[in-house]
């Protein structure tokens, strides 16, 4: 699907996909320097021996309610699902017993990590996996204890802190489709063309912006840049396929908490390749 800027701020959640308009992605303007926000987020955890994620996950077991849930469901089974996802490092939102779009993207991330085709329905396979969850696949076994790993194949991002998966989220990366966009930039109408790719490689987080940041290819919420104009950022559209100009889109609630967890100078490893069905 061609990456493009999306107008408006309305949100539509359906049973199989979240379609939320209003967020473009892509390269950003030149970075401001010396901002207090930048200076405040400059720590990287020391390299110390830690328990492996697989060992930690093997000890996290629970008995699931096993009630089939669909988008829009309400009740204690949904609250259990939300609490369990949060316990495992996903970001389902508040445990309010309401199965909405925020919980849905956390379910998708969990299903992808556990080898289940992402769907809005929480049924037997997902409940079984929630009882005995897999750890995310480690992409860089000898990486720093605090690092971010982007799995383009599964379309997830994992933030490790002290060697443990602290945050796991559904993402949407570069679509891989060439684009040409016309936009008003620096006071005049200009045309920008490029390839909507999220390059693999090893990077580090650099500058960031609080709130909405406007680039010449759209708007990014709480962006944290790690490869030139490519950033992690919140978006109102994070579908189940790569759709950005190259940035790593993530759900808005994840973008709210990520800046407090991911400092500047932290390694970012991007691996894999998405294969369309």
């Amino acid at each position: 699907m061609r990456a493009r800027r999306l107008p408006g701020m309305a949100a539509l959640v359906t049973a199989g996909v979240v379609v939320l308009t209003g967020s473009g992605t892509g390269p950003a303007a030149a970075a401001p320097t010396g901002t207090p926000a930048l200076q405040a987020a400059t720590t990287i955890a020391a390299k110390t021996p830690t328990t492996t994620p697989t060992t930690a996950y093997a000890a996290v077991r629970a008995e699931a309610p096993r009630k089939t849930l669909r988008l829009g469901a309400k009740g204690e089974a949904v609250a259990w699902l939300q609490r369990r996802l949060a316990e495992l490092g996903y970001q389902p939102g508040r445990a309010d017993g309401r199965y909405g779009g925020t919980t849905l993207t956390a379910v998708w991330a969990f299903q992808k990590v556990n080898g289940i085709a992402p769907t809005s329905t929480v049924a037997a396979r997902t409940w079984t996996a929630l009882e005995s969850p897999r750890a995310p696949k480690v992409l860089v076994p000898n990486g720093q204890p605090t690092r971010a790993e982007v799995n383009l194949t599964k379309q997830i991002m994992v933030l490790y802190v002290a060697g443990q998966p602290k945050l796991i989220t559904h993402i949407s990366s570069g679509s891989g489709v060439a684009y040409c966009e016309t936009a008003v930039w620096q006071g005049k109408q200009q045309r920008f063309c490029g390839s909507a790719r999220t390059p693999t490689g090893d990077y580090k987080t650099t500058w960031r912006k609080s709130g909405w940041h406007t680039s010449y290819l759209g708007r990014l919420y709480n962006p944290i840049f790690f490869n030139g104009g490519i950033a992690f950022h919140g978006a109102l559209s994070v579908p189940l396929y790569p759709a950005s100009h190259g940035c790593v889109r993530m759900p808005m609630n994840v973008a709210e908490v990520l800046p407090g967890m991911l400092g500047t100078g932290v390694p970012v490893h991007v691996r894999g390749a998405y294969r369309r069905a």
Side-chain angles (χ1 to χ4, degrees):
M1 180 175 177
R2 182 185 178 86
R4 58 189 178 87
R5 288 188 297 132
L6 299 169
M9 295 293 289
L12 171 64
V13 182
T14 66
V17 65
V18 174
V19 181
L20 298 155
T21 62
S23 173
T25 58
T33 59
T35 63
L38 263 176
Q39 295 165 357
T42 56
T43 58
I44 305 176
K47 196 167 187 177
T48 55
T50 56
T51 305
T52 65
T54 302
T55 301
Y57 260 66
V60 181
R61 295 179 178 272
E63 185 175 347
R66 292 187 171 271
K67 176 182 178 181
T68 299
L69 301 177
R70 293 180 175 82
L71 198 62
K74 300 177 183 178
E76 180 53 34
V78 177
W80 189 99
L81 169 69
Q82 293 166 324
R83 291 192 296 267
R84 182 60 166 164
L85 289 169
E87 178 185 24
L88 297 172
Y90 299 87
Q91 295 288 322
R94 189 162 55 94
D96 59 2
R98 296 173 180 271
Y99 187 5
T102 300
T103 300
L104 173 60
T105 56
V107 168
W108 282 348
F110 177 81
Q111 289 170 331
K112 287 188 283 187
V113 167
N114 285 270
I116 301 167
T119 174
S120 63
T121 301
V122 178
R125 287 192 66 195
T126 301
W127 288 125
T128 297
L130 283 161
E131 289 180 338
S132 301
R134 295 182 189 174
K137 179 182 178 181
V138 176
L139 303 182
V140 183
N142 297 317
Q144 292 283 343
T146 297
R147 66 188 186 279
E149 294 187 352
V150 179
N151 188 326
L152 298 179
T153 305
K154 288 189 175 291
Q155 293 287 285
I156 60 168
M157 187 276 276
V158 182
L159 173 63
Y160 291 91
V161 176
Q164 296 298 312
K166 195 73 173 178
L167 182 151
I168 309 162
T169 183
H170 162 69
I171 65 165
S172 178
S173 61
S175 69
V177 178
Y179 64 86
C180 280
E181 302 278 353
T182 300
V184 176
W185 185 248
Q186 297 179 340
K188 61 180 180 179
Q189 192 172 71
Q190 301 183 50
R191 189 154 178 81
F192 302 96
C193 296
S195 176
R197 292 179 56 249
T198 305
T200 56
D202 301 306
Y203 311 99
K204 288 187 176 181
T205 54
T206 56
W207 71 285
R208 64 189 61 208
K209 176 75 180 290
S210 295
W212 287 104
H213 169 71
T214 300
S215 81
Y216 53 83
L217 291 176
R219 302 179 72 218
L220 297 71
Y221 185 72
N222 279 356
I224 301 173
F225 293 85
F226 62 86
N227 177 14
I230 294 177
F232 297 120
H233 71 85
L236 296 174
S237 175
V238 191
L240 275 172
Y241 51 84
S244 82
H245 287 95
C247 284
V248 177
R249 297 184 190 178
M250 54 187 54
M252 293 289 284
N253 70 303
V254 177
E256 286 282 0
V257 300
L258 187 63
M261 303 174 70
L262 179 60
T264 299
V266 175
V268 176
H269 306 286
V270 184
R271 299 288 189 271
Y274 183 80
R275 293 174 177 81
R276 295 180 184 274

